[in-house]
Amino acid sequence: MHRWTTRWVLALSVSLSLPGALASTAWAGEEDDLQRQIETQRSGASDLERLDELHAAGDETTLLKTWLEEAWTLRAKHEYDQVREVLDRALAQAELVRQKINVSKLRAQADKRDAALKELRQKIDQAHRSLAGVAVKKKALEAGSK
């Protein structure tokens, strides 16, 4: 109990006597954390750009990168609350990009399957016509042989 109280009193006295020193330490840690978050989102944006093989989310990816640059600039100006807001916006934008990429891939897959289905239906229709023609010839041959 005595050790905890001593630490608490020491921390309180330091924080009361040197508020600027403690604040700068907290800010530096926060700045480093925000820098890591920005860099992580930047690498994620690059990954999303590579995943967008069909180029369905080019504008959204560009906007995402612009927001990450804005976050970097705000971090340099020590506007940490604004940086967090921009990073939250960028996370939502990255999710939008992911969804657009998924939709474009699924749409391409559906288009491919629709084209295959259309081709198959044409083959079936052709087979039906051919079969009907053979049936007519068979009846003609049977009628001619009687």
Side-chain angles (χ1 to χ4, degrees), residues 58-126:
D59 293 340
E60 288 80 6
T61 305
T62 302
L63 183 60
L64 173 61
K65 287 182 174 187
T66 301
W67 284 347
L68 292 173
E69 286 301 319
E70 178 184 348
W72 189 264
T73 303
L74 290 169
R75 183 201 59 84
K77 293 178 183 177
H78 306 289
E79 300 289 338
Y80 301 131
D81 290 335
Q82 291 176 344
V83 172
R84 277 190 231 87
E85 289 175 14
V86 173
L87 286 174
D88 288 344
R89 193 178 342 138
L91 281 173
Q93 184 72 8
E95 182 59 27
L96 173 69
V97 169
R98 270 187 219 88
Q99 295 299 325
K100 284 194 85 165
I101 290 170
N102 287 337
V103 165
S104 70
K105 287 181 178 181
L106 289 172
R107 186 172 290 137
Q109 185 180 24
D111 290 345
K112 188 176 179 180
R113 288 181 179 175
D114 281 344
L117 179 63
K118 185 177 179 181
E119 182 182 332
L120 188 57
R121 283 187 176 158
Q122 287 174 348
K123 287 181 181 179
I124 290 171
D125 288 342
Q126 184 180 8

Side-chain angles (χ1 to χ4, degrees), residues 3 16 25 118:
R3 189 174 359 176
L16 292 175
T25 303
K118 185 177 179 181

